[in-house]
Amino acid sequence: MEWFLNGISELLSVLATDIELLLSPSWWSANSVALFNILMIDLTLAADNAIVVGMAASRVEPHIRTKVIFWGIAGAVILRIIFASITQQLLQVIGLTLAGGILLLFVCWKMYKQIIDSDAHSIDAVERDLAAPLEAHKATSFWSALWTIILADLSMSLDNVLAVAGAAGESTLVLVIGLAVAIILMAVASTYIAKLLHRFPWIAWIGLIIILYVALSMIYTDTHRIVCVNYGVGCSETLWDGIMHRLGLGN
């Protein structure tokens, strides 16, 4: 519990210190790409929560569905805050960013499978299940449905925070903004976003490409950090720098 409280304290401390940067046009300009990437990541990943919560809620008695949905979303919010409090600190440890990038590659693979198989577990199908009468022998308990949501939230929250932290880089303020946007979208507009992504799958493809770039960037950057520590070369080159240099466009 102490590490969690320390992480939250550090997040709040940095936010209190850097809050004045939100009034600086130069800060927004410098972080515009990271913020756009985070927005697309949040949009792409927010839909999963609506589908998982809706599927679980459709399997319980109608009179407790509101409670399942509320606590499912609340659990996801809590998990995102917990992961955010420690993820950026852990990514500063040499080797863990590389591991995080590899994990994000797996997330990209899952997203790719979901996009090409878009008819599976669509939000429209989930809403039809919610509206249809529940057969008594198929009903599950409140705790069973909530446990299903929590297990799914563990994966989704880690995926979201890891991708956002990777896109935010070393800026804790950008990470906090990304976390806030993710929570708002998940709590207020996740169902609408799920329908939007189903109707316009190209949005999901953009999100997938951004997350793939973040994953490759994390792998590339940490690999260079490892090489830098051991051999003293490649210490400051990012993935973008590397691409520019290979194209002969770098400084």
Side-chain angles (χ1 to χ4, degrees):
M1 180 60 72
E2 184 177 352
W3 55 266
F4 171 59
L5 294 177
N6 288 338
I8 292 295
S9 177
E10 183 171 339
L11 280 178
L12 294 176
S13 176
V14 172
L15 183 60
T17 302
D18 294 347
I19 195 69
E20 62 186 35
L21 294 176
L22 295 177
L23 302 177
S24 170
S26 60
W27 183 88
W28 287 98
S29 176
N31 293 280
S32 58
V33 173
L35 290 168
F36 173 78
N37 289 346
I38 287 173
L39 176 61
M40 293 305 302
I41 290 170
D42 286 338
L43 279 173
T44 306
L45 297 179
D48 288 343
N49 187 265
I51 292 174
V52 169
V53 172
M55 287 177 63
S58 68
R59 300 190 184 111
V60 301
E61 296 293 343
H63 67 279
I64 60 172
R65 283 177 181 172
T66 301
K67 289 175 58 179
V68 169
I69 292 172
F70 172 81
W71 287 110
I73 292 176
V77 169
I78 293 170
L79 286 171
R80 275 163 171 74
I81 293 174
I82 291 174
F83 284 133
S85 68
I86 61 172
T87 297
Q88 197 169 46
Q89 299 174 55
L90 291 177
L91 291 182
Q92 303 307 311
V93 179
I94 294 177
L96 289 184
T97 300
L98 174 62
I102 294 173
L103 179 58
L104 274 186
L105 286 181
F106 177 67
V107 174
C108 290
W109 171 250
K110 290 195 300 182
M111 286 182 59
Y112 170 75
K113 296 292 288 183
Q114 289 174 350
I115 293 172
I116 62 174
D117 191 20
S118 58
D119 290 334
H121 304 312
S122 71
I123 192 64
D124 292 329
V126 172
E127 289 188 331
R128 284 196 298 270
D129 290 341
L130 285 169
L134 179 66
E135 297 180 26
H137 68 280
K138 291 184 178 180
T140 61
S141 68
F142 169 82
W143 290 108
S144 176
L146 189 59
W147 182 244
T148 299
I149 294 172
I150 289 174
L151 289 178
D153 280 343
L154 278 172
S155 173
M156 292 186 297
S157 297
L158 179 59
D159 294 350
N160 180 274
V161 173
L162 186 59
V164 169
E170 297 181 359
S171 174
T172 303
L173 183 57
V174 173
L175 173 63
V176 171
I177 292 174
L179 175 64
V181 170
I183 290 174
I184 292 171
L185 290 178
M186 179 182 60
V188 177
S190 56
T191 300
Y192 174 76
I193 291 170
K195 292 181 178 180
L196 187 69
L197 293 178
H198 184 71
R199 184 177 179 184
F200 303 106
W202 58 267
I203 300 176
W205 282 108
I206 292 176
L208 172 59
I209 291 171
I210 290 174
I211 296 176
L212 178 60
Y213 177 82
V214 169
L216 294 177
S217 179
M218 291 169 68
I219 293 171
Y220 185 90
T221 300
D222 211 36
T223 300
H224 270 254
R225 286 203 297 178
I226 294 171
V227 173
C228 172
V229 168
N230 290 282
Y231 304 103
V233 296
C235 298
S236 61
E237 189 175 57
T238 65
L239 177 59
W240 181 253
D241 293 332
I243 294 173
M244 291 294 100
H245 290 162
R246 302 311 182 272
L247 296 176
L249 301 175
N251 295 326

